Structure formats: C-alpha cells, structure tokens
Amino acid sequence: MRFRRTVLSTIGSVALVVASLGAVTAATVSPATADPCGFYKTSSDAYYNHCTSDGSRVVVKVEVALAPDYERCVGPGATWLGPAGKIQGAYYVGRLC
C-alpha cells in the first residue's frame, strides 16, 4: 500500500512539472505576433524589419514586380515597402546608411 502511494505521488509530481513546463513554454511562445526580422509580407503589405539594438540604419535592396528594383535605407523596426502584390522581396546589401 505504501509503495502504491509513493508511485501515485511520484506520477502526480511528474504531471505537475510537465504541466508547469507547458505553461512556461506557452508564455514564452505567445509573443508570436511580433514581426519577424528581415523581409516579410502580410495579406496586403510588404515590410522589412531591421532587428537591431544599436540604432543602426542599413541599406536593403527591394525587389519589385514589373518595375526596377531599388535600394532603400531603413532604420530599426518594421518599414513598410509597399503592397504585397508589388514587392517580391527585400534583403540587406551589407552596408550602413
């Protein structure tokens, strides 16, 4: 009988730890609404998100559908590039502005 109580107590403790780890993971993952770094699109718009903590500004090449590509200087955070149907991509060219 004592062995059975110990086993049940151990199983209950393990279940509690697993449940609490799940809660921590869920809390850590919940800011999934944050913008990803680099180029990304929503259903209607295209953005370049320069993720930095040093305040730098960088040059990105913007690839445009049916029009010439161009370079643009972007600062920290998300920069709107245009409509999602028009902008095909954007990437860091390796220099500051």
Side-chain angles (χ1 to χ4, degrees), residues 2 6 8 11 16-17 19 23 27-29 36-37 49 61 78:
R2 182 176 176 175
T6 303
L8 291 176
I11 290 171
L16 210 65
V17 168
T28 305
V29 175
C37 295
N49 187 17
K61 177 128 186 196

Side-chain angles (χ1 to χ4, degrees), residues 23-89:
V24 169
T25 302
T28 305
V29 175
S30 68
T33 57
D35 300 330
C37 295
F39 176 73
Y40 69 96
K41 288 183 179 184
T42 64
S43 60
S44 59
D45 297 297
Y47 297 90
Y48 186 88
N49 187 17
H50 176 42
C51 297
T52 183
S53 59
D54 66 5
S56 63
R57 298 176 60 81
V58 298
V59 177
V60 296
K61 177 128 186 196
V62 181
E63 299 171 330
V64 185
L66 305 173
D69 296 345
Y70 63 91
E71 290 185 349
R72 181 164 181 184
C73 180
V74 299
T79 300
W80 183 77
L81 300 176
K86 182 178 179 183
I87 307 300
Q88 296 178 319

